[in-house]
Amino acid sequence: MYTLIKKDEPFISIHHLSKYYHSGKGRQVKAVNNLSFDIYPGETVGLVGESGCGKSTAGKTILRLHEPTRGEVFYKGRNIFDLSRKSLVGLRKEMQIIFQDPYSSLNPRMTVEDLIGEPLDIHKTHKGKQRKDRIIQLLELVGLNHDHLNRYPHEFSGGQRQRIGIARALALNPKFIVCDEPISALDVSIQAQIVNLLKELQEKLGLTYLFIAHDLSMVKYISDRILVMYLGHMVELASSEALCNDPLHPYSQALLSAVPVPEPHSKREKIELNGEIPSPIDPPSGCVFRTRCKHAASICTEKQPEWKEVKKGHFTACHLYK
Amino acid sequence: MKKLLEIKDLKVNFHTYLGEVQAVRGVSFHVNQGEIVALVGESGCGKSVTAKSIMKLLPTAFSHYKSGEILYHSMDLLKVQEKEMETIRGNEISMIFQDPMTSLNPTSKIGEQIIEGLMKHKKVSKSEAYRKAKELLELVGIPQPEKRMNQYPHEFSGGMRQRVVIAMALVCEPQLIIADEPTTALDVTIQAQILKLIKDLQFKLNTSVILITHDLGVVAEICDRVVVMYAGEVVESGKVEEIFANPSHPYTKGLMKSVPRLDMSRNESLYSIVGSPPNLLHPPNGCAFYSRCEYAMKVCQKHSPNLMEINTTQQTACWLYHPMANPVEKESMGGM
Ligand SMILES: Nc1ncnc2c1ncn2[C@@H]1O[C@H](COP(=O)(O)OP(=O)(O)OP(=O)(O)O)[C@@H](O)[C@H]1O
Ligand SMILES: Nc1ncnc2c1ncn2[C@@H]1O[C@H](COP(=O)(O)OP(=O)(O)OP(=O)(O)O)[C@@H](O)[C@H]1O
Ligand SMILES: [Mg+2]
Ligand SMILES: [Mg+2]
């Protein structure tokens, strides 16, 4: 049985986090705006939203792989953006990321043994035979084996490379992992294996995850709570059941209806989103979703909707809810 | 219906210092004009290698075609000279790669890359190419295309890069599009738009599409036929309705069961096929699925089954469907 260890103290606390990129000619890409939420110990928070809405940026900034434009991230009571480079090294051991792109995230000139061994070497945790054993153990954990030790990334299929990335992230026994679409490149049967694996590891090792994905059926399955983002903003946060059974925000509703169903000739209606996705360089005034929202009214142009708790533990930012 | 592409007994090996990796081991299937065919199967089963073979894009130094024919309009692409292949690629057959970064040049602006492709294949003026490039970016849902054309690939999110790659593949309105997991990096609302775009092209221009995907929802939504691969071989093929309503190969059945559904409870463990596929350095003599199959019989370990007809449209490579197979064993398949 999968239990939720929801202690009162958040494990990671994100406060008004924003990240803007500079993009030539003095323009700014407002990739992440004013993100605030908590992640509890042993919990999995799913993060979903349209391509380009800032999910990877949020994940990387929370780990301080990017410096923020504004905001704080508290881990063990300390703002990680105040940490010195040296304390940051210690933090890296506890917080890991599985990258979205299994191609560019693996150095093509390193063998699998070196790729997985690298974090062990950097942090000097395992040497010699111990190191090799640990690498083989990690390979087996993700469904590969010692035959693969001396092979290079290009000799693997997309799914196999992603598993190498997962083994790397697990190498140092982290406590928190940002999983940036770790299963998007995998076929369903391996997706199931990896998700079962991540859940099993979570139970065994008490891991906490931020799980970024766009496949809602899988996100729902692995997450305790789901956060929906649109154009750099939070639009809805709720338990995964509440979000999937009773989505409040019109964007979440469209997102759910667009999940393809594995049934030929299914008659299910899709809510089609009209208009193009606005650019984060020049986002719409008021509610960022209003240009594609069928409920949009004049207030939506004028005023940014507040983040409010509409039902217990169910938050959204939309003028439809008073 | 006219066959546009027919692959016959394709075998592809890679040379590695450990030995020959038999990535594709006798694959045969066809694609009719105006048809969308799904190519599905476990990671590493040879889908991308098959796709790259059609485009003749495999690295010649490390790989070779051991046997087979790839007939495109009855011309064997495996016998075509590289020079001729260059005009086929992009103009007649184009490929959308699984990894968008391989098709984009990181050092050149997005706009320049599309314009270059247009000028090369379409022989249009620079200003015409600029206008068309902008149109294509709009078509695939990139906002503010004029600004975006001035940016470099790394300034785009994963999904946006993929949309650019799709735009580039559509430049010449090819007859066959090979799309290798084109929507894997995209969220569902954009995926729905891209799938509609592919469907529209098929309808308007009678384009044929080979769609490689692991999302069975996508398969159900837009494909006409499905080819299922396992360990470098085709194990089943049939019309999409047949594969979903009546999957026959035990691997296909397992695949169907692994699909997560929105109505599933979080406390259930997801079904997954136990074990892992065979090492393609030393593939087994018998059925490649033998070690993971719940219905394995003696014959399966020794002899590899050929494709057998279940009906005129559905075929499967499984001894259970041999006319002489024990009917009791067939019966037990129903309970899966
Ligand atoms: N290094 C960068 N420089 C400039 N802009 C960037 C950079 N990285 C990302 N962006 C922009 O920031 C926005 C958010 O990108 P991000 O990669 O976080 O999106 P995402 O939600 O992870 O998308 P996807 O689902 O496609 O991976 C996008 O508009 C993207 O173009
Ligand atoms: N350059 C290479 N050298 C050696 N082996 C290779 C090479 N390229 C691919 N392979 C092997 O060939 C097999 C087929 O790979 P392919 O990329 O076609 O798989 P796939 O079905 O596309 O998988 P995925 O769904 O993960 O993308 C794999 O076992 C892979 O390890
Ligand atoms: Mg991303
Ligand atoms: Mg592939």
Side-chain angles (χ1 to χ4, degrees):
Chain A
M1 181 44 205
Y2 179 73
T3 46
L4 177 74
I5 334 155
K6 200 174 218 164
K7 301 197 193 104
D8 293 342
E9 280 292 288
F11 186 64
I12 291 174
S13 209
I14 296 132
H15 288 215
H16 307 290
L17 188 69
S18 296
K19 171 69 190 173
Y20 300 168
Y21 294 106
H22 296 286
S23 162
K25 298 198 193 131
R27 286 192 305 244
Q28 281 186 323
V29 180
K30 295 177 178 157
V32 168
N33 287 280
N34 202 15
L35 218 57
S36 293
F37 65 101
D38 293 333
I39 305 175
Y40 291 91
E43 184 185 36
T44 300
V45 174
L47 180 55
V48 297
E50 210 149 47
S51 160
C53 74
K55 304 180 298 292
S56 298
T57 303
K60 288 180 192 161
T61 314
I62 289 169
L63 297 182
R64 200 176 163 184
L65 295 173
H66 286 322
E67 293 298 324
T69 305
R70 263 193 298 284
E72 288 129 24
V73 171
F74 289 96
Y75 175 66
K76 290 187 173 165
R78 293 176 66 184
N79 180 5
I80 63 162
F81 300 121
D82 292 340
L83 294 179
S84 64
R85 287 278 145 202
K86 216 168 130 201
S87 342
L88 208 54
V89 174
L91 190 75
R92 290 273 166 270
K93 248 163 100 172
E94 298 182 14
M95 298 176 136
Q96 285 287 328
I97 182 163
I98 301 169
F99 285 103
Q100 175 168 10
D101 185 349
Y103 299 88
S104 51
S105 57
L106 299 177
N107 182 339
R109 273 176 287 275
M110 285 167 78
T111 62
V112 168
E113 178 168 0
D114 293 335
L115 282 166
I116 300 176
E118 190 179 47
L120 304 176
D121 301 339
I122 292 174
H123 293 275
K124 303 190 181 70
T125 53
H126 297 69
K127 277 213 194 79
K129 181 168 180 325
Q130 236 195 350
R131 175 179 179 274
K132 186 135 186 171
D133 288 347
R134 175 69 180 152
I135 294 170
I136 292 170
Q137 185 191 23
L138 286 161
L139 277 175
E140 285 170 356
L141 203 58
V142 297
L144 298 169
N145 59 56
H146 60 265
D147 285 343
H148 296 118
L149 279 176
N150 295 317
R151 291 169 69 177
Y152 291 89
H154 74 268
E155 296 175 44
F156 289 89
S157 73
Q160 291 168 323
R161 283 185 235 195
Q162 191 58 289
R163 287 192 264 176
I164 300 170
I166 294 174
R168 242 169 93 93
L170 291 174
L172 298 167
N173 290 321
K175 297 200 168 57
F176 175 65
I177 304 182
V178 172
C179 310
D180 192 355
E181 313 213 14
I183 53 170
S184 304
L186 309 181
D187 62 278
V188 271
S189 62
I190 295 170
Q191 276 190 2
Q193 283 178 10
I194 299 280
V195 166
N196 285 339
L197 172 74
L198 287 172
K199 285 181 85 163
E200 199 184 296
L201 290 167
Q202 179 167 51
E203 259 173 72
K204 250 196 255 166
L205 312 169
L207 294 173
T208 304
Y209 297 132
L210 180 65
F211 193 92
I212 302 175
H214 54 258
D215 179 350
L216 264 167
S217 39
M218 218 29 123
V219 174
K220 183 204 167 191
Y221 181 74
I222 195 168
S223 309
D224 299 292
R225 290 186 301 150
I226 297 177
L227 173 63
V228 183
M229 278 178 76
Y230 184 83
L231 207 68
H233 291 260
M234 307 203 290
V235 300
E236 187 162 354
L237 173 67
S239 73
S240 56
E241 283 77 15
L243 197 112
C244 292
N245 299 333
D246 180 26
L248 298 176
H249 197 282
Y251 175 63
S252 314
Q253 290 166 357
L255 208 55
L256 270 159
S257 81
V259 175
V261 270
E263 267 169 48
H265 314 297
S266 144
K267 293 277 174 294
R268 207 177 48 138
E269 273 298 308
K270 275 191 181 167
I271 305 173
E272 256 185 57
L273 289 180
N274 298 317
E276 45 178 47
I277 315 158
S279 159
I281 296 173
D282 186 17
S285 65
C287 170
V288 284
F289 186 59
R290 70 169 164 85
T291 55
R292 302 173 76 197
C293 182
K294 62 177 181 219
H295 305 288
S298 58
I299 184 170
C300 307
T301 317
E302 289 150 19
K303 204 167 154 256
Q304 197 175 322
E306 270 170 48
W307 184 247
K308 29 183 188 278
E309 188 166 11
V310 176
K311 296 175 182 173
K312 194 172 178 343
H314 196 151
F315 298 81
T316 190
C318 175
H319 289 302
L320 286 175
Y321 305 94
K322 292 288 171 271
Chain B
M1 242 186 287
K2 207 171 148 245
K3 277 184 194 167
L4 179 69
L5 182 86
E6 182 165 24
I7 300 181
K8 288 183 178 168
D9 196 32
L10 180 71
K11 292 185 181 157
V12 182
N13 282 12
F14 285 100
H15 318 296
T16 69
Y17 83 99
L18 287 173
E20 297 272 300
V21 174
Q22 301 175 31
V24 172
R25 307 187 297 136
V27 160
S28 304
F29 68 93
H30 71 275
V31 181
N32 292 322
Q33 206 115 45
E35 193 183 34
I36 304 185
V37 175
L39 197 54
V40 302
E42 189 150 312
S43 176
C45 73
K47 304 180 295 289
S48 297
V49 171
T50 302
K52 285 182 196 155
S53 303
I54 301 170
M55 294 290 277
K56 300 258 295 273
L57 283 176
L58 291 172
T60 44
F62 315 110
S63 64
H64 81 276
Y65 302 101
K66 256 185 74 190
S67 79
E69 288 175 318
I70 299 178
L71 304 172
Y72 172 73
H73 284 303
S74 324
M75 156 176 66
D76 187 355
L77 296 180
L78 291 184
K79 295 209 175 78
V80 162
Q81 296 298 313
E82 175 56 24
K83 198 143 184 199
E84 198 175 337
M85 204 58 218
E86 269 169 27
T87 64
I88 293 175
R89 256 181 238 133
N91 282 317
E92 307 242 350
I93 309 179
S94 73
M95 180 152 174
I96 301 166
F97 288 94
Q98 190 169 8
D99 168 17
M101 274 322 244
T102 55
S103 342
L104 294 172
N105 176 350
T107 63
S108 148
K109 290 180 181 164
I110 293 289
E112 285 164 10
Q113 299 192 40
I114 303 176
I115 289 168
E116 194 184 302
L118 275 161
M119 289 174 64
K120 185 171 150 208
H121 292 293
K122 283 238 142 161
K123 315 254 180 297
V124 292
S125 70
K126 185 139 192 192
S127 60
E128 174 65 16
Y130 181 87
R131 203 185 50 74
K132 181 89 185 152
K134 201 181 127 212
E135 215 176 276
L136 280 166
L137 288 178
E138 262 163 16
L139 185 73
V140 295
I142 303 267
Q144 295 180 303
E146 277 168 336
K147 273 187 197 166
R148 288 297 193 171
M149 278 163 80
N150 267 320
Q151 294 185 324
Y152 291 91
H154 76 266
E155 296 177 67
F156 281 55
S157 75
M160 279 195 279
R161 265 180 230 153
Q162 189 61 305
R163 277 182 272 157
V164 170
V165 171
I166 292 171
M168 288 168 72
L170 300 180
V171 158
C172 297
E173 295 170 359
Q175 293 204 31
L176 174 65
I177 297 174
I178 305 171
D180 195 348
E181 312 207 10
T183 57
T184 300
L186 308 182
D187 70 283
V188 284
T189 63
I190 304 291
Q191 171 170 284
Q193 285 176 6
I194 303 265
L195 295 179
K196 209 167 147 219
L197 187 77
I198 293 178
K199 197 87 188 160
D200 278 356
L201 282 171
Q202 177 222 17
F203 187 75
K204 274 196 226 139
L205 309 171
N206 208 27
T207 313
S208 307
V209 181
I210 297 176
L211 181 69
I212 300 178
T213 178
H214 54 256
D215 189 332
L216 293 169
V218 170
V219 174
E221 221 153 84
I222 72 160
C223 295
D224 302 305
R225 268 190 317 121
V226 185
V227 173
V228 185
M229 285 183 67
Y230 185 80
E233 297 172 312
V234 173
V235 295
E236 180 157 6
S237 71
K239 290 200 277 198
V240 68
E241 303 84 14
E242 293 170 334
I243 300 290
F244 279 84
N246 188 19
S248 47
H249 196 282
Y251 172 67
T252 318
K253 284 173 188 275
L255 199 62
M256 292 292 162
K257 276 216 295 185
S258 316
V259 180
R261 310 181 70 103
L262 271 175
D263 53 19
M264 241 174 72
S265 146
R266 280 199 17 249
N267 299 332
E268 301 169 46
S269 204
L270 282 171
Y271 177 84
S272 74
I273 306 168
V274 284
S276 51
N279 185 341
L280 294 178
L281 272 172
H282 312 287
N285 293 325
C287 172
F289 194 58
Y290 173 77
S291 63
R292 304 171 77 184
C293 184
E294 298 175 41
Y295 304 95
M297 303 180 285
K298 258 197 198 124
V299 59
C300 308
Q301 188 180 12
K302 294 219 176 73
H303 304 283
S304 171
N306 288 327
L307 280 173
M308 299 174 213
E309 296 219 333
I310 293 185
N311 57 49
T312 52
T313 47
Q314 192 178 3
Q315 301 177 306
T316 187
C318 174
W319 287 119
L320 289 166
Y321 296 88
H322 189 270
M324 310 275 279
N326 182 346
V328 176
E329 263 145 337
K330 258 190 203 164
E331 195 66 21
S332 73
M333 298 287 291
M336 245 189 110

